[in-house]
Amino acid sequence: MPVELNTADPDFEAAFAALLAARAEFDTSVDPVVADILADVKARGDAAVVEYTQRFDRVHLTTDALRLDDETVDAAAGQVDAETLAALNVAAERITRFHEHQKPTDIAFTDPTGVRLGQRHTPVDAVGLYVPGGTAAYPSSVLMNAIPAKVAGVGRLVMVVPTPDGIINPLVMAAARLAEVDEIYRIGGAQAIGALAYGTGVIAPVDKIVGPGNAYVASAKKQVFGTVGIDMIAGPSEILVVADAGNDPAWIAADLLSQAEHDAAAQAILITDDADFAAAVGRAVEGHLKTLPRTAIAAESWARHGALIVVEDLMEQAPPLVNRIAPEHLELAVGDPDALAARVRHAGAIFLGRHTPEAVGDYVGGPNHVLPTSRGARFSSGLGVLDFMKRTTLLGCDSSALATIGPAAVRLAEAEGLQAHGLSVALRLNMPRPDARDGA
Amino acid sequence: MPVELNTADPDFEAAFAALLAARAEFDTSVDPVVADILADVKARGDAAVVEYTQRFDRVHLTTDALRLDDETVDAAAGQVDAETLAALNVAAERITRFHEHQKPTDIAFTDPTGVRLGQRHTPVDAVGLYVPGGTAAYPSSVLMNAIPAKVAGVGRLVMVVPTPDGIINPLVMAAARLAEVDEIYRIGGAQAIGALAYGTGVIAPVDKIVGPGNAYVASAKKQVFGTVGIDMIAGPSEILVVADAGNDPAWIAADLLSQAEHDAAAQAILITDDADFAAAVGRAVEGHLKTLPRTAIAAESWARHGALIVVEDLMEQAPPLVNRIAPEHLELAVGDPDALAARVRHAGAIFLGRHTPEAVGDYVGGPNHVLPTSRGARFSSGLGVLDFMKRTTLLGCDSSALATIGPAAVRLAEAEGLQAHGLSVALRLNMPRPDARDGA
């Protein structure tokens, strides 16, 4: 049974704090195993990758079969039915169009002292996209990770996807084709992350690695961070629904379950101002659970991590709770969602109104579905075009501008005891050498 | 002696690759010690912080003396001379003005299908700023880390700075005052990072931690990442100067030394198209080294990591080398720096022309001096306002918009085997229940 909380109860604060604190921490137990795999891939390259792929995926590949050739990819993609392919197309187009809006604007101006200032954005050269194999191989995630990279202008987008027992997922191949992935390798696990980070004979190294994966993949990404960039390490999915009694309880129950079905560790929370509605949603969840294929997972998530929270006043009491939870997904299923949204400071994505179930955003809304979990929305953002670009600042002085601002730099360099810093400015200004001035 | 390379030499490629590969990797040897300190601070709070501060900084503090009171801060800041304070003011004003340009624009539009789409930015609530004690306590770094946070709208900016043997750095206090830091605690090391991340009785936890530190601080930041956000882990400083023979060798030599003097592990590289000029710069470096106070550090950096690279054609051959180095700081000391800059894809900051020594940007240029090192400019950016804000995307459908885009979402949910996702959309569209359709 999910936790039931009511802000009117005297122990509400303690119970709510316990709910926040209960979210799982990252699993570090696999770190040493992963470190060994990474070191081996770094040292032995393709030979190590081939061996681990045989051991973990039960696929024997020669080095030159690590990369999926175009014919294989096209043949697999061709197995996708027309209706699903059309839906993938809708998704790809809407995701592309939204992310085009995220392209940054460069800065360039000359200030009143004559100093030229600027900031410009350039894409990352090469990006690796990890795609899990098996049941968690989601074509929508391929689109959500690959399209922002392509919109950013990434020249080389490399996908790795394990093919356990040799099975290639047609949906993933179709999504990769739609998103214009440039290279696909049939490898996974920590060995694939190592191959992307360090390069092998067959696989040229990339500059940044994104995409979801299991504990081994997450650990490997953390360990290669620095050598390459990485995206956030995702935790279990979460949804927080703020809903009044004007909703159909069956709709809201389905919304809660749409995240609960991802993972037994996922979390679904309802905040409402009507205890009877909360109870009705609870009953509707039980009803849906009787018929859903992923009932075992969803029921465990709901029982272990679910919560029904009743407040007296949604407008006043929900936003502070929302901000403390800082949810990955926030549904505002109320009559005036914008007024509530204006009071929310921390959420990965907000879904406005009664007709915007979170799942529509998972696929075809347009914004990204890769979002910060585990209260990460307090300090981080969903995946976007900026994650595949970087800023370079520009500064330009002529002799007159340097004469204006340079003396302050010399003074501060001396105060910090960095005389070569000061010297580099002072020489250009024909100032006394700071080191001479200090008698050093 | 620094390495001397010439693109005309047959072994150039091998020697250049070796230069790139020689950059140090992160030190992980202190990780276990740091993990123990963090766990102890998490468990025992202020008591642990007080004990570690006594042990490592030789300062005995009661719990209520961890925070520096306003009188102490003002008294210390008051010791800074007027000329230095004026220079700090110039720096703070110029940094503030540049970073104001980095404030992002929100997105809000309704697309042709009637779907409302948006993206908005909110500041991080609370940020911790680590400031090293002792010789590496730089007031300029306080400004560079604190001002972007304040421009972003961070409400609570908390500084931690160790005071070894009780000594408080007046310049750091003056910079903190200028940057409007809200709280200052006289603690450092891994224990300060733990206190900021987990909170103690006296120190409320923050959401993100930034700022430079030693190996213990860097390890602690990496270990608390996830609980809070962190900035990049900085490696040793680097400068790459591209200069033709039209420069005064003494100026360029001072520029190279301005980074070499930071750290024996720092790296300074010159690329020029004139072998005689390269030799003259080398001689000028030796000359400067005779008089600079930090000669021991700078000389070791120059001998171990320095390089003089001669190319035949700056315009054609320098940019590819620059992009492979992806330097933290790039000076283009040539007649037409913009033409060269246009060919550079990877650099933290670019300094344009003969009168823009890197050091002017360390203090008073305006752009941030916290920049990616160790080839990180391939995938990451200098510190900026966006590092203290996060994006929340918004999606809103009415029943008509959902009717247009919803069916594609239902189709993809079914294809991915996520029936509760499909159900949440299908119920609102009065579509047949996907789970019923699948006969589950």
Side-chain angles (χ1 to χ4, degrees):
Chain A
M1 283 296 95
V3 179
E4 299 183 20
L5 306 179
N6 192 313
T7 50
D9 292 342
D11 64 346
F12 173 78
E13 175 53 35
F16 184 76
L19 183 72
L20 284 186
R23 297 306 288 161
E25 304 233 336
F26 293 118
D27 177 9
T28 57
S29 64
V30 302
D31 286 352
V33 175
V34 168
D36 287 346
I37 295 173
L38 291 174
D40 195 21
V41 170
K42 190 174 183 179
R44 295 196 301 126
D46 290 318
V49 172
V50 164
E51 285 173 30
Y52 288 115
T53 301
Q54 177 144 29
R55 189 188 311 171
F56 297 127
D57 299 336
R58 299 161 303 282
V59 182
H60 178 66
L61 301 171
T62 53
T63 297
D64 57 5
L66 289 174
R67 181 168 176 176
L68 281 172
D69 59 51
D70 286 347
E71 295 69 31
T72 307
V73 174
D74 289 335
Q79 294 173 38
V80 176
D81 66 275
E83 193 186 344
T84 303
L85 200 61
L88 272 178
N89 257 302
V90 169
E93 276 173 30
R94 292 190 57 86
I95 296 164
T96 302
R97 241 175 293 144
F98 180 79
H99 285 78
E100 291 278 359
H101 286 265
Q102 292 184 325
K103 282 199 209 166
T105 309
D106 289 350
I107 299 169
F109 65 100
T110 301
D111 79 6
T113 56
V115 178
R116 289 199 298 148
L117 291 154
Q119 175 175 282
R120 64 178 203 202
H121 298 80
T122 44
V124 175
D125 277 349
V127 167
L129 164 55
Y130 190 92
V131 178
T135 57
Y138 297 137
S140 58
S141 290
V142 174
L143 299 182
M144 290 289 185
N145 281 277
I147 290 174
K150 282 292 173 178
V151 170
V154 169
R156 177 173 167 254
L157 181 56
V158 183
M159 185 169 111
V160 292
V161 56
T163 57
D165 299 309
I167 296 165
I168 295 173
N169 186 318
L171 289 162
V172 166
M173 295 301 136
R177 276 288 184 254
L178 266 179
E180 298 174 14
V181 168
D182 299 292
E183 302 167 22
I184 306 177
Y185 299 91
R186 56 167 85 187
I187 58 174
Q191 61 273 20
I193 300 298
L196 290 171
Y198 307 123
T200 67
V202 168
I203 307 174
V206 301
D207 302 302
K208 181 160 186 168
I209 301 175
V210 300
N214 62 19
Y216 292 85
V217 172
S219 171
K221 281 168 65 181
K222 281 173 84 164
Q223 293 188 46
V224 300
F225 176 54
T227 300
V228 297
I230 62 168
D231 60 349
M232 292 283 297
I233 306 293
S237 295
E238 308 155 6
I239 186 168
L240 171 57
V241 181
V242 177
D244 58 24
N247 291 282
D248 183 334
W251 295 11
I252 301 301
D255 299 352
L256 294 168
L257 289 171
S258 73
Q259 294 310 300
E261 76 174 340
H262 269 298
D263 187 342
Q267 182 165 53
I269 300 176
L270 172 69
I271 297 179
T272 182
D273 56 355
D274 187 307
D276 290 341
F277 178 75
V281 169
R283 287 191 300 274
V285 165
E286 300 305 324
H288 289 328
L289 282 174
K290 287 179 188 140
T291 64
L292 286 169
R294 294 173 69 92
T295 281
I297 293 167
E300 186 178 346
S301 158
W302 181 239
R304 284 176 53 195
H305 304 289
L308 299 166
I309 301 176
V310 177
V311 301
E312 285 178 54
D313 184 323
L314 273 190
M315 197 61 190
E316 294 303 319
Q317 292 178 300
L321 300 179
V322 169
N323 287 327
R324 288 174 67 185
I325 295 169
E328 181 188 16
H329 304 105
L330 173 65
E331 275 188 29
L332 300 176
V334 296
D336 182 4
D338 293 53
L340 258 181
R343 297 190 177 190
V344 171
R345 292 198 313 279
H346 312 308
I350 301 179
F351 303 86
L352 300 162
R354 307 189 199 286
H355 290 85
T356 315
E358 184 277 328
V360 79
D362 276 337
Y363 296 110
V364 295
N368 213 285
H369 79 194
V370 180
L371 296 165
T373 59
S374 310
R375 305 185 65 228
R378 290 174 298 130
F379 55 79
S380 60
S381 310
L383 198 68
V385 170
L386 286 182
D387 293 300
F388 300 100
M389 306 190 84
K390 57 263 177 352
R391 305 182 294 266
T392 299
T393 54
L394 297 137
L395 179 69
C397 295
D398 56 16
S399 60
S400 153
L402 188 67
T404 307
I405 68 171
V410 175
R411 183 74 207 175
L412 291 172
E414 288 177 41
E416 293 188 349
L418 295 173
Q419 271 77 2
H421 282 66
L423 177 64
S424 71
V425 180
L427 282 176
R428 287 167 167 90
L429 298 177
N430 289 313
M431 287 172 73
R433 285 183 60 135
D435 51 325
R437 232 156 89 178
D438 281 18
Chain B
M1 283 295 97
V3 179
E4 298 183 21
L5 306 180
N6 192 313
T7 50
D9 292 343
D11 63 348
F12 173 79
E13 175 54 34
F16 184 75
L19 184 71
L20 284 186
R23 295 306 289 159
E25 304 234 336
F26 292 119
D27 176 10
T28 57
S29 64
V30 301
D31 286 352
V33 175
V34 168
D36 288 346
I37 295 173
L38 291 174
D40 195 21
V41 170
K42 192 174 182 180
R44 296 196 300 127
D46 290 317
V49 173
V50 165
E51 285 173 30
Y52 288 115
T53 301
Q54 177 144 30
R55 190 190 310 171
F56 296 128
D57 298 336
R58 298 161 303 281
V59 182
H60 179 65
L61 301 171
T62 54
T63 298
D64 57 4
L66 288 174
R67 181 167 176 177
L68 281 172
D69 58 50
D70 285 347
E71 294 69 31
T72 307
V73 174
D74 290 334
Q79 294 172 38
V80 176
D81 67 275
E83 193 187 344
T84 302
L85 200 61
L88 272 178
N89 257 303
V90 169
E93 276 173 32
R94 292 191 57 86
I95 296 164
T96 302
R97 242 177 290 146
F98 180 79
H99 284 78
E100 292 277 359
H101 285 267
Q102 292 184 323
K103 281 199 206 168
T105 308
D106 290 349
I107 298 169
F109 65 100
T110 301
D111 77 8
T113 57
V115 178
R116 290 200 295 148
L117 291 154
Q119 174 174 283
R120 63 179 205 201
H121 299 78
T122 44
V124 176
D125 278 350
V127 166
L129 163 55
Y130 191 91
V131 177
T135 57
Y138 297 136
S140 59
S141 289
V142 174
L143 300 182
M144 290 289 184
N145 281 276
I147 290 174
K150 284 291 174 179
V151 170
V154 169
R156 178 172 166 255
L157 182 55
V158 182
M159 186 169 109
V160 292
V161 56
T163 56
D165 299 309
I167 296 164
I168 296 172
N169 185 316
L171 288 162
V172 166
M173 296 301 137
R177 276 289 185 252
L178 265 179
E180 298 175 14
V181 169
D182 299 292
E183 302 167 22
I184 306 176
Y185 299 91
R186 57 167 84 185
I187 58 177
Q191 60 272 22
I193 300 298
L196 289 170
Y198 306 125
T200 66
V202 168
I203 307 175
V206 302
D207 302 302
K208 182 159 187 169
I209 301 174
V210 299
N214 62 18
Y216 291 86
V217 171
S219 171
K221 282 169 66 180
K222 280 173 86 165
Q223 293 188 45
V224 300
F225 176 54
T227 300
V228 297
I230 61 168
D231 60 349
M232 293 284 296
I233 305 293
S237 296
E238 306 155 8
I239 187 168
L240 172 57
V241 180
V242 178
D244 59 22
N247 293 281
D248 183 334
W251 294 11
I252 300 301
D255 299 353
L256 294 168
L257 289 171
S258 74
Q259 294 310 300
E261 76 173 339
H262 269 300
D263 186 343
Q267 183 164 53
I269 301 176
L270 171 70
I271 297 180
T272 182
D273 57 355
D274 187 308
D276 291 340
F277 178 75
V281 170
R283 287 191 301 271
V285 166
E286 299 305 325
H288 290 326
L289 282 174
K290 287 181 188 139
T291 63
L292 286 170
R294 294 172 69 93
T295 280
I297 294 168
E300 186 177 348
S301 159
W302 181 240
R304 285 176 52 195
H305 304 289
L308 298 167
I309 302 177
V310 177
V311 300
E312 283 177 56
D313 184 322
L314 272 191
M315 196 62 189
E316 294 303 319
Q317 292 178 300
L321 300 179
V322 169
N323 288 326
R324 288 174 68 185
I325 295 170
E328 181 189 17
H329 304 105
L330 173 64
E331 275 188 27
L332 301 177
V334 297
D336 182 4
D338 293 53
L340 258 182
R343 298 190 177 192
V344 171
R345 291 198 314 280
H346 313 308
I350 301 179
F351 303 86
L352 300 163
R354 307 190 199 284
H355 289 85
T356 316
E358 185 277 329
V360 79
D362 275 337
Y363 296 110
V364 296
N368 212 285
H369 79 198
V370 180
L371 296 165
T373 58
S374 308
R375 304 184 66 225
R378 291 173 300 131
F379 53 80
S380 60
S381 310
L383 197 69
V385 170
L386 286 182
D387 293 300
F388 299 100
M389 307 190 81
K390 57 262 178 354
R391 304 182 294 266
T392 298
T393 55
L394 297 135
L395 180 69
C397 294
D398 57 18
S399 60
S400 153
L402 188 66
T404 306
I405 69 170
V410 174
R411 184 75 207 174
L412 291 173
E414 288 177 40
E416 293 188 349
L418 296 173
Q419 273 77 6
H421 283 66
L423 179 63
S424 72
V425 179
L427 282 176
R428 287 167 166 90
L429 298 177
N430 289 315
M431 287 171 73
R433 285 183 59 135
D435 50 326
R437 233 157 88 178
D438 282 18

